[in-house]
Structures are given as structure tokens and as C-alpha cells.
């Protein structure tokens, strides 16, 4: 499996695996810790998560441009992963709501610092013939961490019921392993190293290819109807009347996602990335349509399996596609803008999905998501890019 992957990509994959291992150990535990142990209200939980995600989304664009200006990526990768790794476990040492707030926001700041420079670095290790493979492999490693983390948390809670502080402290181990691996990241000099001071976002946008702008527009439109996965979990819980089954379905989704990302990345290099992305968005449309119209426990497993295929067909491959479309001097800016617009789109989409669900029930937002994603899929497919 590793034979066709450059060694620096394997290093970045290991970093993402251990980081996501730690993050996903804590992600399902944090709201429980806040409410059951610290006595927080749901409003505070929502406020912390909302501020955390929008902070990361806004910073992804800025640090993408900054990495182009400096011509360096590694320093942002080290700073971002290092900052996140250090603060993740602080609530286990200082169990206060304020500590959770600071830890979560700072963790997302770290994500905002590292994400776009890291993706640009992945792009620099690849070319148009293997970019899908490179980004697909990285996405697989990242998602394997998202599978291992919650499973580790479940096992720990089984043996140490409600001992959330212990989970916070143990999460420090994979966080530190991720930081250690950042010292083995290999820098790749970019053309912007010579004239980086002249690079601005306005310059990038002015010179960006029309195909990039079109793809960015379509993916942003899709992001607005691609709400948080929390709504799929809630819909699954509504169908099954079981918290355990709903969470198990989500873990199953991540397993499919991890297994499919690498092979679909390789296929996208052979037949074209737009075809895989369009197919993935079509699968997304089908998943939301089924969730909207049918109510059966069997469809939970079917839909989460299909949702894993959708994610594997889009998340890494869209970045690989963007990487192929832009000049090497602007990879950080291009991917940074994409990351930022996707984050803000999903955040706003989640807000409106919640409003529509409360006012009209789950069917309307699910049907809107299905329809819009299908339109975007067809538009990307017929457009000559």
C-alpha cells in the first residue's frame, strides 16, 4: 500500500492519524463532560462549538495565503499541530468550563493555521498523475484516526464509567506522537519563496484560472446544503430510537470512508477527478433523499455506507483537483480559500438546516440538500474542465 506513496506523505498521514485519534477521543466526550460534570447548559456547548468551527474556517484562508507569501509550509504545519496537541488535554488538568472553552478554541486555531499549508505541502509532493492518490491516502489515514479515537473512548468508558478526565489525559499521548512526527516533515521550496512579498490575495484571485473559480463556486454552493453530520446522527436516532445504533452507524461510515479514500483517489488519477467528485455528490443526493423518504433501521446502515463512499469521493479529491488547477505559487491561497468557504458554508448550512427542521420537520432540509447537491453534480459533470 505504501509503495506508491512518497515518504513525506506517509509522515503527514501519520501526523493526521494521531491528531484525529486524540481529537475524536474527545469530540463525543466533551459535551458530556461539559453538561454532566461541569453543569454547562446546551447553549454554552453550542456556543463553544460554533465559535470553534468559524474560527478555524476563517483562519484557513489567511494562513494559506501567508504560506504562499513566505514560500514555507512546514513551519505552519508544526505550529498548528503543536498548538492543538498541547491544549487538547488541558480540561483534564483544569476541569472548568473556561478551560474547555480555551482548549477547544485554541485547538481550532491550530487547525486553521495548519490545514491549508499542509494541503499545499501535500500538493507539492504530487503531480497531476498522482495527486488523487496522495490526497486520498492522507484522507484515509486521517479518517482511520477518526475511527480509532471514538472506539478508544468507548473502551475506556466501559472500564472507567464517566471518567472523562482520564480520557482527556490519555488523549495527550497520541497528541504528543503527532507533534514528534512534525519534525520529520520535509519542506518543499516553492516559486513564491523568491517573490513572496508581492503575493496578495487580490493578486491570486486576479490571476486564478476560470476553471478554479467555477469549481470553487460549485463546491461552495454544495457546502451550504452540506450540513453537519450531527443531523444524520439525529435522523438515525429518530429512526432507530437508539443512541448506540446511531453512533455505531457513524463509526461504520468512518470505516467505509477510510477504506475507500485511497483507492478512489487512485481511480480519480486515471479517469479524471471531476467524474469521481460528480459521482460522490450524486451519492450524497441519494443518501439525503433516502433519509428524507424512508424509515427503516436497514437504511441507516445502507445510508452510512453510501455516505462513506460520498466522503471518500469528494473530501480529498476536491483538494487534489484544486491542486491540479492552480499555479504552484498559489497552492496555499487556492486551497485555503476552498477550505475557508467550505467551513463557512457547512456552518451556515447547519444553522439553516436546524431552523428548517424545527419549523417544518426533517424532510424539507433533507430534500433541499438532495436536490441542490444533484444539480451541482450534474453541472460539474457537463462543464468542460
Amino acid at each position: 500500500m505504501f509503495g506508491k506513496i512518497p515518504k513525506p506523505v506517509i509522515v503527514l498521514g501519520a501526523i493526521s492519524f494521531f491528531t484525529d485519534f486524540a481529537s475524536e477521543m474527545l469530540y463525543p466526550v466533551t459535551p458530556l463532560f461539559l453538561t454532566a460534570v461541569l453543569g454547562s447548559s446546551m447553549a454554552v456547548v453550542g456556543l463553544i462549538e460554533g465559535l470553534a468551527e468559524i474560527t478555524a474556517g476563517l483562519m484557513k484562508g489567511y494562513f494559506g495565503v501567508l504560506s504562499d507569501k513566505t514560500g514555507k509550509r512546514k513551519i505552519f504545519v508544526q505550529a498548528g499541530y503543536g498548538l492543538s496537541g498541547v491544549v487538547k488535554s488541558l480540561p483534564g488538568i483544569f476541569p472548568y468550563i473556561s478551560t474547555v472553552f480555551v482548549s477547544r478554541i485554541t485547538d481550532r486555531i491550530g487547525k486553521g493555521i495548519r490545514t491549508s499549508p499542509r494541503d499545499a505541502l501535500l500538493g507539492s509532493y504530487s503531480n497531476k498523475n498522482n495527486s488523487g492518490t496522495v490526497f486520498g491516502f492522507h484522507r484515509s489515514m486521517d479518517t482511520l484516526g477518526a475511527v480509532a479515537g471514538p472506539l478508544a473512548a468507548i473502551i475506556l468508558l466501559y472500564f472507567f464509567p464517566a471518567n472523562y478526565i482520564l480520557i482527556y489525559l490519555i488523549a495527550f499521548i497520541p497528541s504528543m506522537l503527532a507533534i514528534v512526527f512534525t519534525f520529520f516533515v520535509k519542506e518543499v521550496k516553492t516559486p513564491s519563496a523568491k517573490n513572496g512579498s508581492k503575493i496578495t490575495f487580490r493578486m491570486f484571485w486576479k490571476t486564478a484560472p476560470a476553471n478554479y473559480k467555477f469549481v470553487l463556486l460549485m463546491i461552495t454552493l454544495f457546502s451550504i446544503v452540506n450540513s453537519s453530520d450531527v443531523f444524520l446522527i439525529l435522523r438515525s436516532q429518530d429512526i432507530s430510537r437508539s443512541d448506540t445504533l446511531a453512533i455505531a452507524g457513524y463509526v461504520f461510515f468512518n470505516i467505509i470512508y477510510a477504506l475507500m479514500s485511497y483507492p478512489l483517489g487512485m481511480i480519480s488519477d486515471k479517469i479524471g477527478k471531476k467524474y469521481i467528485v460528480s459521482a460522490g455528490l450524486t451519492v450524497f443526493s441519494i443518501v439525503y433523499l433516502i433519509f428524507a423518504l424512508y424509515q427503516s433501521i436497514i437504511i441507516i446502515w445502507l445510508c452510512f455506507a453510501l455516505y462513506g463512499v460520498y466522503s471518500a469521493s469528494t473530501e480529498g479529491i476536491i483538494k487534489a483537483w484544486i491542486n491540479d488547477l492552480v499555479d504552484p505559487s498559489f497552492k496555499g491561497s487556492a486551497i485555503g480559500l476552498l477550505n475557508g468557504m467550505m467551513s463557512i458554508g457547512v456552518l451556515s448550512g447547519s444553522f439553516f438546516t436546524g431552523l428548517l427542521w424545527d419549523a417544518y420537520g426533517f424532510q424539507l432540509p433533507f430534500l433541499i440538500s438532495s436536490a441542490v447537491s444533484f444539480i451541482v453534480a450534474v453541472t460539474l459533470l457537463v462543464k468542460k474542465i
Side-chain angles (χ1 to χ4, degrees):
M1 175 179 176
F2 293 150
K4 298 180 180 180
I5 303 297
K7 289 183 180 179
V9 176
I10 296 175
V11 171
L12 284 173
I15 294 169
S16 287
F17 170 80
F18 286 117
T19 298
D20 242 44
F21 191 123
S23 296
E24 295 297 329
M25 276 184 73
L26 301 179
Y27 185 72
V29 166
T30 297
L32 299 175
F33 181 63
L34 278 168
T35 54
V37 177
L38 302 181
S40 169
S41 66
M42 291 302 292
V44 170
V45 174
L47 177 64
I48 290 174
E49 284 303 305
L51 289 175
E53 290 306 319
I54 198 167
T55 297
L58 292 174
M59 294 186 72
K60 287 173 184 176
Y62 172 76
F63 281 96
V65 175
L66 189 59
S67 72
D68 283 341
K69 288 177 71 70
T70 61
K72 297 178 181 179
R73 319 287 192 195
K74 179 177 178 178
I75 186 173
F76 300 108
V77 171
Q78 288 181 313
Y81 281 111
L83 185 62
S84 292
V86 168
V87 302
K88 270 191 179 77
S89 295
L90 284 179
I93 303 172
F94 306 103
Y96 306 106
I97 294 176
S98 58
T99 310
V100 176
F101 178 83
V102 171
S103 172
R104 185 71 178 138
I105 298 296
T106 307
D107 174 45
R108 296 296 89 180
I109 289 174
K111 185 176 179 65
I113 292 171
R114 70 181 182 252
T115 299
S116 297
R118 181 206 64 205
D119 290 341
L121 200 55
L122 284 169
S124 69
Y125 298 143
S126 66
N127 54 55
K128 291 185 178 181
N129 295 322
N130 72 344
S131 59
T133 301
V134 166
F135 279 89
F137 171 81
H138 182 268
R139 182 49 48 187
S140 286
M141 292 295 288
D142 187 279
T143 309
L144 281 173
V147 172
L151 291 178
I154 290 171
I155 292 170
L156 287 169
L157 287 173
Y158 177 80
F159 288 104
F160 306 96
N163 195 341
Y164 305 122
I165 289 179
L166 176 64
I167 296 176
Y168 271 101
L169 296 177
I170 290 179
F172 187 70
I173 297 172
S175 294
M176 290 302 100
L177 287 172
I179 292 175
V180 169
F181 271 98
T182 64
F183 290 97
F184 297 95
V185 172
K186 182 181 178 181
E187 183 70 271
V188 176
K189 290 190 176 181
T190 66
S192 53
K194 298 179 181 178
N195 59 355
S197 60
K198 298 179 182 179
I199 289 180
T200 62
F201 178 78
R202 180 179 295 180
M203 177 193 296
F204 155 67
W205 186 254
K206 191 174 181 179
T207 59
N211 283 339
Y212 165 78
K213 293 179 180 178
F214 178 78
V215 172
L216 177 69
L217 174 63
M218 290 294 101
I219 298 304
T220 300
L221 177 60
F222 164 69
S223 297
I224 295 173
V225 298
N226 178 21
S227 54
S228 170
D229 295 341
V230 167
F231 291 103
L232 294 182
I233 296 173
L234 289 172
R235 177 64 181 132
S236 299
Q237 197 278 337
D238 183 50
I239 293 171
S240 65
R241 302 298 177 185
S242 168
D243 293 343
T244 302
L245 185 57
I247 295 172
Y250 184 68
V251 173
F252 179 57
F253 144 69
N254 274 309
I255 292 172
I256 300 298
Y257 183 7
L259 292 175
M260 295 296 293
S261 290
Y262 182 42
L264 283 174
M266 289 192 294
I267 294 171
S268 75
D269 288 330
K270 295 182 182 298
I271 70 173
K273 297 174 180 66
K274 86 166 185 175
Y275 298 106
I276 300 297
V277 172
S278 296
L281 295 180
T282 302
V283 171
F284 176 96
S285 176
I286 293 170
V287 168
Y288 271 71
L289 182 64
I290 293 174
F291 263 132
L293 299 180
Y294 297 95
Q295 184 143 332
S296 166
I297 291 178
I298 294 176
I299 73 163
I300 294 176
W301 298 103
L302 172 64
C303 284
F304 272 123
L306 290 174
Y307 197 65
V309 174
Y310 141 72
S311 296
S313 303
T314 54
E315 292 289 337
I317 296 173
I318 288 172
K319 293 179 181 179
W321 192 9
I322 292 296
N323 175 76
D324 295 347
L325 292 175
V326 299
D327 185 273
S329 300
F330 293 111
K331 286 184 187 294
S333 301
I335 296 177
L337 181 58
L338 172 74
N339 285 330
M341 294 303 291
M342 288 174 67
S343 295
I344 294 171
V346 171
L347 182 64
S348 61
S350 298
F351 174 72
F352 286 114
T353 295
L355 287 180
L356 290 173
W357 190 320
D358 286 339
Y360 304 103
F362 68 87
Q363 279 192 326
L364 181 60
F366 274 63
L367 289 173
I368 291 173
S369 293
S370 177
V372 174
S373 59
F374 183 71
I375 292 170
V376 172
V378 172
T379 304
L380 285 174
L381 187 62
V382 300
K383 173 74 173 179
K384 290 184 178 181
I385 301 176

